[in-house]
Amino acid sequence: MRRLIGDPVALLAMLVLATLALAAAFAPLIEGAMGLDAEAVDLFNRLTPPSPEHPLGTDELGRDLLLRLLEGGRVSLSVGISAALVASGIGTVIGLASGYLGGRLDAALMRIADGVIALPLLPLLIVLAAVDLSKLGLPPETAQSEAASLIRLVVLVSLVGWPVTARLVRASTLSLRKREFVEAARALGFSPWRIALRHVLPNAMGPILVAATLSVGNVVLFESVLSFLGLGIRPPTPSWGNMLTGAQELIWEAPRLAIWPGMLIFVTVVSVNLLGDALRDRLDPRTARR
Amino acid sequence: MSRFLAGRLLQTLFVLFVLSAATYGLLGLMPGDPVDLLAGANPDITPADIARLKVLYGLDRPIWERYLTWLSSALQGDFGYSRLYAQPVLDIVSDRLPTTILLIGLSLLVALTVALPAAIMAARNPGGPVDRAINLLCFAGVSVPPFWLALLLIILFAVTLGWLPAGGMSSSSGDGGILDRARHLILPVVTLSAATVAAYTRHLRSALIEVLGEDYIRTARAKGVPERRVMTRHALRNALLPVVTLIGLDLGSLVSGALITETMFSQLGMGKTIYDAVMGNDYNLALVGLLTAAAATLIGNLGADLAYARLDPRIVYSTEPGA
């Protein structure tokens, strides 16, 4: 961590991410301070240009764009981080099992991982996202609720995200299991799971951290695409992705509405990717650029 | 080799079979079935009519039975009718597949044309200013949300400058000639190739840097081969190998990208067709569209593996692929 601060690009990326996260976290306070409400519709002030009262102007329903962006950031960032955690968690368990236990399980799991990586995922995700949960036996209120759509999104994105982590964790597990301290643990008669969790996992934390960081970027991108297509976060709850859906139709009148949310997605994903890349360079000197 | 090929083809068929069953099951879980939609459109419909229609459409039978019926007619070449377009599904797919293939093919071409010189420039002096600038651009390329890039391009080139059309396949006033079509393809191809250019450049750059450290490069330089020739004849040829694999692996994301691009720019290709079919409850079309996309991707993968073996004499595929 301390060495990362020495890298100007990584430092800048961390600062940008911290600012975005703080702004999103304190969105309700900022709302209060501005005396505005992100949900407040004001049809007399539709699509107004930036003004002291509305620093970034208003959207097609007269809502303050800045506050919508902050609220959207809360949703997009929390979905991004939680789905990345779930995906890396699944990937870590599968990678550990695959690499440590080996054999047919390894072959089967890695074949599935390759399959997931190779298939055209977006068309498949669209089908999954369109499934009506009430037909699975959930009560309609639960199926239609905001929480259900958030959880569904996290599940969907995790389904896509695990293979990358699984491959990385498997690779480092394979090299770790040949090391003396693992041999020693095995000689002491510890169970495979204990060895995998207590001895292999802590030593594989580096690649896991890199994979988790990089997957945050991918997840934020995927969430925005799904929400943009109307299959992720549904309005009126704002997310950076679904704010662009409405903006698309107003592109001739107010291109501003299309620029801001996308800019925030882009800045977030670039920062996360640069940070992940810097982490990888620090942790694995072989891939260092200089 | 032929046993390897047969094995891989069988595997592909198996994946498609699993995918068709899974998708069929999922489509059954989508909101509203065709009868609900008919009933919603007709206020005079009675519950008895609905029940009769459900029997007529076979919706009263369990889903696995319906799937088997679908599978057996699909195996005989009958993929059913599209509800949205009232045409045989196969006609729509064969009508729209070329658009997507053209879009993806052009994007691959653009990606390679840009990535090759970019990677060579970056690899000439790793860590230098050119390399760092190209590296940052690559990060931008992989991080930009494709639909937002599409919006930005539309704002710049269609709304502000008015140089290029904002969408569609051809202009209604135009002569429908190839130039008109090309004008409508520029923005979609740029959108679709952005992420691919970035990914190829990064991989090719690191492959080049690795190859440039090899002994045979030093030998070539020592015997006085000009640097240009070292780069193109000795280094690039070997560095291109991993890119062949990458093209195969990347096909899936290109198909995903095509869905976004076609939707954003109203190109009537497979991606937009799948999206519209899923959103419009057109089960037959959605299913066949998805399977076509998956099949094309898997076959492309296989093609890349075969090309790799052809290009690199060290690779010999045994009957156990990927082992």
Side-chain angles (χ1 to χ4, degrees):
Chain A
M1 199 65 176
R2 210 172 301 136
R3 273 188 298 170
L4 270 183
I5 292 173
D7 182 342
V9 176
L11 184 66
L12 185 67
M14 277 195 283
L15 282 178
V16 168
L17 289 175
T19 315
L20 284 171
L22 283 177
F26 289 110
L29 286 180
I30 300 172
E31 260 178 59
M34 287 175 61
L36 291 167
D37 181 354
E39 308 284 323
V41 174
D42 179 2
L43 292 178
F44 292 109
N45 282 313
R46 294 175 67 237
L47 301 173
T48 55
S51 64
E53 197 188 346
H54 300 289
L56 295 179
T58 59
D59 70 358
E60 68 273 22
L61 294 176
R63 294 170 296 195
D64 184 79
L65 183 58
L66 178 64
L67 289 182
R68 298 276 295 165
L69 285 173
L70 292 177
E71 284 289 333
R74 277 166 86 84
V75 177
S76 295
L77 290 178
S78 46
V79 168
I81 292 169
S82 44
L85 283 177
V86 175
S88 334
I90 299 175
T92 303
V93 172
I94 291 180
L96 267 181
S98 198
Y100 192 76
L101 301 175
R104 289 191 165 203
L105 180 76
D106 178 37
L109 287 174
M110 285 305 115
R111 194 42 62 75
I112 296 175
D114 287 345
V116 173
I117 293 176
L119 282 174
L121 292 171
L122 190 59
L124 297 171
L125 279 184
I126 283 179
V127 176
L128 281 172
V131 164
D132 183 358
L133 291 177
S134 61
K135 289 204 178 177
L136 278 175
L138 283 175
E141 312 85 70
T142 325
Q144 300 291 328
S145 70
E146 203 177 293
S149 77
L150 278 175
I151 293 172
R152 181 221 298 262
L153 196 56
V154 171
V155 171
L156 283 185
V157 182
S158 321
L159 275 180
V160 187
W162 66 267
V164 180
T165 321
R167 279 220 154 275
L168 278 170
V169 174
R170 173 180 175 269
S172 51
T173 307
L174 280 179
S175 71
L176 283 167
R177 61 175 295 187
K178 301 265 161 57
R179 301 269 290 273
E180 285 88 353
F181 63 90
V182 177
E183 295 281 344
R186 207 174 300 142
L188 284 170
F190 291 156
S191 74
W193 270 116
R194 187 187 157 120
I195 300 175
L197 290 178
R198 289 285 189 82
H199 301 267
V200 176
L201 182 63
N203 288 294
M205 276 326 269
I208 295 174
L209 191 63
V210 172
T213 312
L214 291 174
S215 71
V216 172
N218 289 332
V219 167
V220 170
L221 269 186
F222 244 125
E223 182 273 317
S224 71
V225 170
L226 283 178
S227 297
F228 176 75
L229 292 174
L231 293 160
I233 310 286
R234 282 156 219 233
T237 308
S239 88
W240 291 338
N242 74 24
M243 288 174 73
L244 284 165
T245 319
Q248 190 187 6
E249 283 131 39
L250 297 162
I251 200 160
W252 300 86
E253 299 158 73
R256 182 171 51 81
L257 291 181
I259 291 178
W260 283 107
M263 180 65 84
L264 289 179
I265 303 172
F266 177 57
V267 168
T268 308
V269 179
V270 165
S271 307
V272 166
N273 283 342
L274 285 171
L275 185 62
D277 195 59
L279 265 178
R280 175 169 44 199
D281 284 357
R282 298 292 139 156
L283 290 168
D284 183 2
R286 274 173 307 170
T287 64
R289 294 183 184 282
R290 271 147 282 144
Chain B
M1 192 63 179
S2 57
R3 277 189 68 183
F4 164 76
L5 192 63
R8 279 289 294 266
L9 282 174
L10 264 179
Q11 228 174 54
T12 305
L13 281 179
F14 177 72
V15 172
L16 287 177
F17 166 72
V18 172
L19 214 58
S20 74
T23 319
Y24 197 94
L26 286 171
L27 289 171
L29 293 171
M30 300 223 297
D33 56 38
V35 175
D36 290 344
L37 290 165
L38 278 177
N42 182 358
D44 295 333
I45 206 157
T46 61
D49 290 335
I50 293 181
R52 210 172 53 238
L53 279 171
K54 289 219 173 191
V55 175
L56 185 68
Y57 278 88
L59 289 169
D60 55 331
R61 290 179 295 146
I63 187 124
W64 58 267
E65 213 179 300
R66 270 148 55 196
Y67 172 67
L68 289 181
T69 315
W70 177 86
L71 189 65
S72 71
S73 40
L75 289 176
Q76 292 160 36
D78 175 12
F79 292 92
Y81 264 77
S82 148
R83 214 179 58 76
L84 282 179
Y85 303 96
Q87 272 180 42
V89 163
L90 270 190
D91 288 3
I92 302 173
V93 171
S94 59
D95 192 34
R96 300 195 164 186
L97 196 55
T99 306
T100 305
I101 292 177
L102 180 68
L103 199 58
I104 290 183
L106 283 175
S107 302
L108 270 175
L109 200 68
V110 169
L112 285 173
T113 331
V114 179
L116 272 177
I120 292 178
M121 282 198 293
R124 237 180 230 152
N125 181 13
V130 177
D131 182 32
R132 291 179 142 252
I134 289 177
N135 188 37
L136 274 183
L137 279 177
C138 287
F139 268 101
V142 281
S143 309
V144 68
F147 58 96
W148 184 61
L149 180 62
L151 284 176
L152 286 185
L153 290 172
I154 294 174
I155 291 177
L156 182 62
F157 289 102
V159 177
T160 313
L161 296 171
W163 291 354
L164 292 168
M169 310 266 284
S170 58
S171 20
S172 45
S173 59
D175 52 357
I178 191 153
L179 272 177
D180 184 50
R181 181 81 188 95
R183 264 167 51 83
H184 284 81
L185 273 170
I186 295 177
L187 293 185
V189 167
V190 171
T191 307
L192 188 53
S193 53
T196 318
V197 169
Y200 289 4
T201 307
R202 288 180 70 183
H203 277 84
L204 195 55
R205 171 195 170 275
S206 43
L208 269 176
I209 290 176
E210 200 179 312
V211 169
L212 284 172
E214 296 280 348
D215 288 341
Y216 58 82
I217 296 290
R218 197 173 327 134
T219 310
R221 281 183 180 147
K223 72 181 186 195
V225 177
E227 190 59 32
R228 258 187 94 85
R229 212 179 144 81
V230 171
M231 195 54 111
T232 51
R233 281 304 173 91
H234 298 254
L236 193 60
R237 288 185 67 153
N238 288 295
L240 272 174
L241 278 175
V243 175
V244 174
T245 323
L246 191 67
I247 293 178
L249 279 178
D250 226 32
L251 268 182
S253 59
L254 270 172
V255 173
S256 296
L259 190 149
I260 301 170
T261 316
E262 288 170 9
T263 314
M264 296 299 298
F265 292 102
S266 323
Q267 303 284 313
L268 294 179
M270 283 311 294
K272 187 171 161 49
T273 306
I274 293 174
Y275 177 67
D276 291 345
V278 171
M279 298 310 262
N281 277 322
D282 194 339
Y283 299 168
N284 284 343
L285 185 56
L287 188 54
V288 174
L290 277 169
L291 292 178
T292 311
T297 313
L298 293 172
I299 289 169
N301 265 322
L302 180 56
D305 282 356
L306 293 178
Y308 193 78
R310 193 34 83 78
L311 292 173
D312 189 343
R314 286 168 298 185
I315 307 263
V316 177
Y317 286 122
S318 61
T319 43
E320 181 68 1

